[in-house]
Amino acid sequence: MGYAKQKNMMVMWGIATSEPKLRTTQSGKHVCSFYLQYNKHVNEDGQKVKESMSVTAWNDLAEYICDNDIGIGKYDELLVCGEIVPDTYYGRNEDPNVPKYKINAELILPMTSIYQLMMMVVNGGGQPIREEHKPSIVSKRGK
């Protein structure tokens, strides 16, 4: 009896700190990448310690999130679900002896969409969102 290959999946909530860039590989696959900033923990001084992780999306998802009409952009608050994999690219000032990881995304949702869905449920399904229930966190791009 064989075992199915298991993925190390995670869900992250953060802010896109770079514009997603769409590229095409030599084999014709679409790939899009950007950085997601998240709060790691609170230090002794009570300040949030922030970190960033590279997010990569492939094919249809890459095209979708980079689409100018419906795509995501810098400063958008996102929910990202995907597989954690080693990142083999190191910049000039990065130590290649320190392990680095990225997320191969399988799902990327703008948090504004999730807030709107939650508010529709709170308001009885499909009713207009009352002013006191509108989300306080919105995208800087005005979506």
Side-chain angles (χ1 to χ4, degrees):
M1 175 185 230
Y3 291 95
K5 181 181 175 188
Q6 294 183 348
K7 292 181 179 182
N8 183 11
M9 300 293 285
M10 74 174 304
V11 176
M12 278 189 105
W13 177 11
I15 305 287
T17 58
S18 62
E19 289 289 337
K21 294 177 179 69
L22 184 64
R23 300 180 312 278
T24 304
T25 66
Q26 289 180 341
S27 63
K29 292 183 179 181
H30 296 289
V31 61
C32 173
S33 56
F34 61 93
Y35 282 92
L36 187 75
Q37 184 180 62
Y38 58 95
N39 295 328
K40 185 175 179 186
H41 64 272
V42 177
N43 65 17
E44 300 84 31
D45 299 330
Q47 295 179 334
K48 294 177 183 174
V49 177
K50 298 176 188 275
E51 286 199 1
S52 292
M53 187 175 280
S54 177
V55 177
T56 304
W58 292 89
N59 300 318
D60 292 342
L61 181 58
E63 288 184 87
Y64 179 77
I65 63 173
C66 289
D67 183 292
N68 291 333
D69 294 331
I70 48 177
I72 61 167
K74 189 174 182 180
Y75 304 119
D76 282 349
E77 188 177 13
L78 306 171
L79 185 74
V80 176
C81 179
E83 181 181 13
I84 303 171
V85 296
D87 191 348
T88 55
Y89 173 79
Y90 286 88
R92 275 188 239 140
N93 298 328
E94 294 179 310
D95 183 356
N97 296 316
V98 176
K100 195 167 105 170
Y101 299 92
K102 66 180 178 180
I103 300 174
N104 276 341
E106 294 187 13
L107 177 67
I108 299 174
L109 293 171
M111 287 304 294
T112 52
S113 299
I114 295 171
Y115 293 136
Q116 289 171 353
L117 180 62
M118 289 170 40
M119 292 304 112
M120 283 177 63
V121 171
V122 167
N123 286 312
Q127 300 297 318
I129 299 173
R130 295 191 304 264
E131 194 62 38
E132 66 269 18
H133 289 291
K134 286 189 177 177
S136 58
I137 301 173
V138 294
S139 164
K140 289 187 179 180
R141 289 179 66 191
K143 287 190 243 173

